[in-house]
Amino acid sequence: MTFSIAARDADAWGVAVASKFLAVGSVVPRVVLGHCAIATQAMARVAYLDELEAALRAGTPTAEALAAALAGDDGGAHRQVGVVGPDGPATHTGAECLHWAGGRTGAEGRSAYAIQGNILVGPQVVEAMETAWHEHAGAPLDERLVAVLLAGDAAGGDARGRQSAALLVRRPGAGYDASGVLADLRVDDHPEAPHELARLHQLSSLYFGTAQDVRPLEGPLRAEVAALLAAVGHAPVSDDVEAALEAWMGEANLENRHASGGIDTRVLGVLRDGLPTGP
């Protein structure tokens, strides 16, 4: 009833998941920087999250940690688990998981993934997810996982339909307060949950990301920005466009993207088109 990817890329760790199941993000993912990304699903045993995290923190190899968790569970034949630890990935699909069910793993350098799904339309779902993982190499892990999830959905996803999706990604120093949370998003009940998750991710990256592509506030661009600020009630005083821009960005919750002497291109897009609102 679920398809997911648990992954690591350099110092970033994360899980993306979608399902015809209410609030799948409350059950499936666990991400701990430097130690693990875990997805527990099918007849999910949430206790696996604590057990696997503890084993991986203690230095147990990933495959051994997963085998030990399964050995202590009489219902292992009904479970599906994907886990990435410091030494690589492992995935398990119990023999009694509902058709179609299966998974794939891969690793290269400091990058690794475990992709798995059950009650899918067919193996093409995990195949498409794996292809998307490789096609988006080099992208930030949160963007990469969203692309993987959308690829699985486009390939048919959960055979019963859509209901919920979630994305949890951690990277050192990331997030609004630099606490390491790059993305923590859930869509608990929505008819197009994977696409709604992607929309929320775009908003999250806008509001909580930092300035990436900064253009100097000079010449025609400076005049354009001054006019746009005036249109939203922040007309520059004494031609101090920088101060007016900073004040507006604080009001619009875009302060993380402030860049001295310039304007981030996504902020410029918001000024030109307005703040994103609905789907």
Side-chain angles (χ1 to χ4, degrees), residues 92-108:
H92 163 78
T93 297
E96 296 184 35
C97 286
L98 297 178
H99 191 74
W100 187 88
R104 293 187 173 199
T105 63
E108 183 176 357

Side-chain angles (χ1 to χ4, degrees), residues 23-61:
V24 71
S26 68
V27 175
V28 170
R30 173 71 57 86
V31 178
V32 181
L33 274 176
H35 296 288
C36 60
I38 308 166
T40 179
Q41 56 198 54
M43 294 294 289
R45 183 171 182 267
V46 179
Y48 281 157
L49 300 175
D50 289 337
E51 293 168 2
L52 288 166
E53 178 187 340
L56 292 167
R57 281 183 180 274
T60 305

Side-chain angles (χ1 to χ4, degrees), residues 17 36 42 76 96 99 163 197 202 214 237 264-265 268:
V17 57
C36 60
E96 296 184 35
H99 191 74
Q163 186 170 7
L197 182 72
Q202 286 296 311
V214 178
V237 177
D264 171 86
T265 53
L268 179 59

Side-chain angles (χ1 to χ4, degrees), residues 10-145:
D11 292 333
W13 301 68
V15 172
V17 57
S19 181
K20 181 67 169 67
F21 181 87
L22 181 70
V24 71
S26 68
V27 175
V28 170
R30 173 71 57 86
V31 178
V32 181
L33 274 176
H35 296 288
C36 60
I38 308 166
T40 179
Q41 56 198 54
M43 294 294 289
R45 183 171 182 267
V46 179
Y48 281 157
L49 300 175
D50 289 337
E51 293 168 2
L52 288 166
E53 178 187 340
L56 292 167
R57 281 183 180 274
T60 305
T62 303
E64 291 182 21
L66 180 55
L70 291 166
D73 176 20
D74 291 339
H78 299 276
R79 319 288 192 200
Q80 194 170 48
V81 190
V83 56
V84 173
D87 69 325
T91 189
H92 163 78
T93 297
E96 296 184 35
C97 286
L98 297 178
H99 191 74
W100 187 88
R104 293 187 173 199
T105 63
E108 183 176 357
R110 299 178 67 213
S111 177
Y113 61 88
I115 296 169
Q116 46 282 315
N118 61 91
I119 318 186
L120 303 182
V121 297
Q124 64 267 31
V125 177
V126 294
E127 291 167 4
M129 293 171 73
E130 185 175 50
T131 296
W133 170 262
H134 293 300
E135 288 179 345
H136 290 82
L141 184 59
D142 56 328
E143 296 179 13
R144 199 173 183 184
L145 294 187

